[in-house]
Amino acid sequence: MVPEINYWAVILATLSTMIVGSIWYTPKVFGTRWAKLAHVDLNREMTPLAAMMPIIVTVLVSFVSAWVLAGATTIAWHFYGGGYLLAAVGTGVILWAGFTAARFITHDAFEGRPTSLTVMNIAHELVTVLVMSIIIGVWPPAVTV
């Protein structure tokens, strides 16, 4: 059985990840520091296809993340009851902590990445998941209201 999902909210949540990432990684916010810590040359020459591939991948995986979050939120809401927004935010934070943050920390530890880079990236993911959660939470599927 597939849980009830508002696909318009999923699409908007997907797009929100691009906005959050564009702000977070702009040079005036964390972009310059991130590039230095991650050893990314922001001035490198790239073909148009090479420049677009990370964006295409981000949209696809963001859609999957938003879809899973929406489904998990509906399941949590059915199980626990209460407000749909609270279910969305709670589910988002739990999924972020248990999967995203935990996996980032593990991989970065084995790769020897700087702790400050790990913190910056998992904080970005937390903000991203919270924005997606709020969008999904304030725009629940019709059958939940």
Side-chain angles (χ1 to χ4, degrees), residues 46-67:
M46 296 178 73
T47 66
L49 180 60
M52 287 299 296
M53 282 310 294
I55 294 168
I56 293 167
V57 169
T58 299
V59 170
L60 293 174
V61 299
S62 292
F63 178 82
V64 171
S65 295
W67 180 71

Side-chain angles (χ1 to χ4, degrees), residues 5-145:
I5 293 174
N6 180 342
Y7 284 97
W8 292 111
V10 169
I11 291 168
L12 188 58
T14 299
L15 296 176
S16 77
T17 68
M18 303 304 291
I19 295 168
V20 170
S22 295
I23 294 168
W24 191 273
Y25 291 111
T26 192
K28 291 184 179 183
V29 181
F30 296 115
T32 303
R33 179 146 173 77
W34 166 81
K36 180 181 176 189
L37 291 169
H39 304 291
V40 173
D41 180 6
L42 296 176
N43 298 315
R44 70 186 184 276
E45 292 283 328
M46 296 178 73
T47 66
L49 180 60
M52 287 299 296
M53 282 310 294
I55 294 168
I56 293 167
V57 169
T58 299
V59 170
L60 293 174
V61 299
S62 292
F63 178 82
V64 171
S65 295
W67 180 71
V68 168
L69 177 58
T73 296
T74 298
I75 292 167
W77 177 79
H78 279 297
F79 187 80
Y80 294 111
Y84 199 82
L85 176 60
L86 183 59
V89 171
T91 300
V93 169
I94 289 168
L95 292 175
W96 167 83
F99 292 99
T100 304
R103 302 315 318 154
F104 260 92
I105 292 166
T106 299
H107 288 274
D108 286 7
F110 275 99
E111 293 173 2
R113 291 182 176 246
T115 302
S116 55
L117 177 61
T118 303
V119 170
M120 181 185 305
N121 285 334
I122 63 174
H124 165 258
E125 291 299 321
L126 176 60
V127 170
T128 300
V129 167
L130 286 173
V131 171
M132 287 194 311
S133 297
I134 291 168
I135 292 167
I136 290 165
V138 299
W139 201 1
V143 297
T144 63
V145 290

